[in-house]
Amino acid sequence: MITDALLRVSDAQALTTTAVSTNTIDLVTARDMGEGSELYFNFAMITAAVGGTSVKFEVISSAAAALTSPTVIGSSDAIVTASLPIGTNVAVRVNPALASLGQRYLGTRYTIVGTYTAGTVTADLVTDIQDGKKFYASGFSVT
């Protein structure tokens, strides 16, 4: 997974209340959005979520840079707090019908249930997902 600062919509953003990403991606800007490729938002927990009940990670588009009146174009299920320790990655696929919606801005929303006292997330638009948690057997030799 290769990331790009122009495709990062949240950078260690606090998860304390339902909110949209601090940044947006302007789809009018001349930029390759991976047309013909699957796109994902990778949500990485930078610090563990504390308190609260669950978080739903959503990909949204809007006609406004402030991401008001958004259209949800991808979503995770509600993920319980215990499943969001530091280092957790959640990938959400961007609906390929993105261009047909006629909306200019792309971002994310964090729908919070309960009261969170800590937790931060970074969200990047990517073309592939890096697992990074694969484990292979050890203690054997190849001859």
Side-chain angles (χ1 to χ4, degrees), residues 2-138:
I2 298 174
T3 60
D4 180 329
L6 295 175
L7 300 177
R8 176 166 284 174
V9 296
S10 291
D11 190 3
Q13 183 172 341
L15 293 177
T16 54
T17 185
T18 295
V20 296
S21 55
T22 52
N23 298 313
T24 60
I25 298 170
D26 185 348
L27 299 173
V28 174
T29 303
R31 159 179 313 145
D32 179 3
M33 292 304 296
E35 188 172 340
S37 300
E38 291 195 7
L39 297 173
Y40 301 88
F41 264 100
N42 183 68
F43 299 92
M45 294 302 298
I46 304 303
T47 60
V50 177
T53 305
S54 66
V55 178
K56 182 188 283 188
F57 298 95
E58 298 173 305
V59 178
I60 58 175
S61 64
S62 176
L67 298 173
T68 53
S69 302
T71 300
V72 177
I73 58 173
S75 177
S76 72
D77 291 332
I79 301 173
V80 296
T81 304
S83 297
L84 295 172
I86 189 170
T88 300
N89 285 293
V90 176
V92 176
R93 185 173 176 262
V94 177
N95 186 328
L98 170 65
S100 67
L101 297 175
Q103 295 181 331
R104 181 173 175 172
Y105 298 96
L106 181 65
T108 59
R109 178 170 61 190
Y110 310 102
T111 302
I112 306 291
V113 175
T115 303
Y116 279 89
T117 57
T120 56
V121 65
T122 293
D124 293 294
L125 183 67
V126 296
T127 57
D128 57 351
I129 303 164
Q130 181 174 331
D131 182 352
K133 298 193 188 299
K134 293 182 180 172
F135 299 97
Y136 298 96
S138 63

